[in-house]
Amino acid sequence: MSKYVKKCPECGSVNLFWNKDKGEIICRDCGLVLEEKMVDFDQEWREMDSEAAARKRRTGAPMSYTHFDQGLGTEVGTKADFYKLGGKSKNKFFRLRKWQQRISTAIERNLKLALAELKRVSSYLKLPSSVEEEASRIYTLAVQKGLVRGRSMESVVAGALYAACRRHDVPRTLDELSEASGVEKKEIGRTYRFITRELGIKILPSNPSDYIARFASSLRLSPEAQTKSVEIIEEAQRVELTSGRGPTGIAAAALYVAALINGEKRTQREVADVAGVTEVTIRNRYKELLDELGLEKEIKKTKKKAAAAA
DNA sequence: AAGACGAAAGTGGTTGA
DNA sequence: TCAACAACTTTCGTCTT
């Protein structure tokens, strides 16, 4: 995190758009997504009046779920306190102390390890801190509810992260999570479903357009193509082509078509790889898109243009 | 020769009896 | 708890550029 980026490393443009919620900086000229330089230097809150300010201002270390006990742990006191107590209370005191240690060491040790792992995975995926925070919260709740029992810590961490990503509309695919955490895809999916159900976390199905910026960037597509593909997705949602389908497949197909229309052809293979779906899926979605929306004309138009240029 | 296309069979997960 | 089912994948042969 050596210095703050002001220029796009790809085209040198200074016309950058910082989407803070998603932790993405996007070059308006070439569409490159620069994710790695994400430090939010701003306050995430504003002071509307003095009362609100007093409520929101923090002193000392921020209270954070990323710290396992939110920085507020308590302990049953040690030696200095008990010499005043009589025999009975002394015994009680020792019992309490023992219990407290047992409970807290088990949970706290787990949390310490888990949150370290969570940090590792989240920084590997370059997730914004808001997501990391949310994931920590989810994990903490899961531990408190005893949902980790019988599951590996890693898989619960991955599941919590996946859920947090979805809630913040910064979806990562299960494949990406799996690669970063070393937990199997289906295992992540399973624990994800389990903990969201048990904790009553409501998550809307992710929107295909949330994937566009990232995928388009890996494919080096122009911002125009990106915009076009988002439009296509919106159209598709209007005609109900999207329900029940995997969002990544739709995003991939929309990008593929948008690239064609913009004369920036990518192969199905290339698009399939970055989106983590197969060519077949792209073909199916692609066919549906062409059938339902009148896109053939637009593709032919660019073909003619290309022919005329040559 | 590479990419696009489509058929067929297999997989993992959801749903409803 | 099991079977039907939809979406998606894998694999493979054929057509197009």
Side-chain angles (χ1 to χ4, degrees), chain A residues 218-234:
Chain A
S218 329
L219 289 168
R220 327 238 97 161
L221 286 170
S222 69
E224 289 77 32
Q226 261 189 62
T227 314
K228 186 73 199 171
S229 56
V230 173
E231 282 168 20
I232 293 173
I233 290 175
E234 280 166 2

Side-chain angles (χ1 to χ4, degrees), chain A residues 32-167:
Chain A
L32 184 75
V33 175
L34 310 89
E35 287 169 302
E36 55 275 10
K37 306 288 182 179
M38 275 310 298
V39 179
D40 194 336
F41 294 104
D42 289 5
Q43 290 174 188
E44 76 277 25
W45 39 269
R46 281 182 302 163
E47 296 176 8
M48 302 308 287
D49 54 54
S50 59
E51 197 202 330
R55 227 183 313 118
K56 285 175 173 172
R57 244 180 216 151
R58 296 177 296 232
T59 287
M63 185 174 114
S64 163
Y65 280 96
T66 336
H67 296 119
F68 69 93
D69 58 0
Q70 298 158 52
L72 301 171
T74 56
E75 259 175 49
V76 175
T78 45
K79 48 206 170 183
D81 301 325
F82 70 86
Y83 66 98
K84 312 169 197 154
L85 305 170
K88 240 188 173 173
S89 358
K90 209 187 248 176
N91 282 339
K92 192 175 177 189
F93 175 85
F94 277 120
R95 275 207 317 280
L96 280 176
R97 201 167 131 68
K98 186 136 210 173
W99 261 110
Q100 212 247 3
Q101 275 176 352
R102 246 184 236 151
I103 296 167
S104 54
T105 49
I107 292 186
E108 285 172 13
R109 201 174 331 119
N110 182 317
L111 270 177
K112 254 186 206 165
L113 271 170
L115 294 182
E117 167 72 3
L118 194 148
K119 274 206 151 125
R120 194 187 63 71
V121 177
S122 117
S123 81
Y124 182 91
L125 290 171
K126 293 163 185 153
L127 296 171
S129 54
S130 59
V131 171
E132 191 179 313
E133 181 80 4
E134 174 87 7
S136 306
R137 212 190 100 237
I138 295 173
Y139 187 88
T140 308
L141 287 174
V143 171
Q144 282 165 1
K145 272 212 165 189
L147 304 180
V148 192
R149 182 156 306 180
R151 258 162 276 271
S152 76
M153 191 201 78
E154 288 86 353
S155 71
V156 181
V157 166
L161 271 167
Y162 184 65
C165 285
R166 294 277 295 269
R167 290 200 97 189

Side-chain angles (χ1 to χ4, degrees), chain A residues 9 16 19 28 50-52 126 143 179 197 201 270 272 293:
Chain A
L16 302 179
N19 182 337
R28 283 208 176 86
S50 59
E51 197 202 330
K126 293 163 185 153
V143 171
E179 205 228 306
R197 180 159 38 86
I201 299 172
E270 289 173 302
L293 321 169

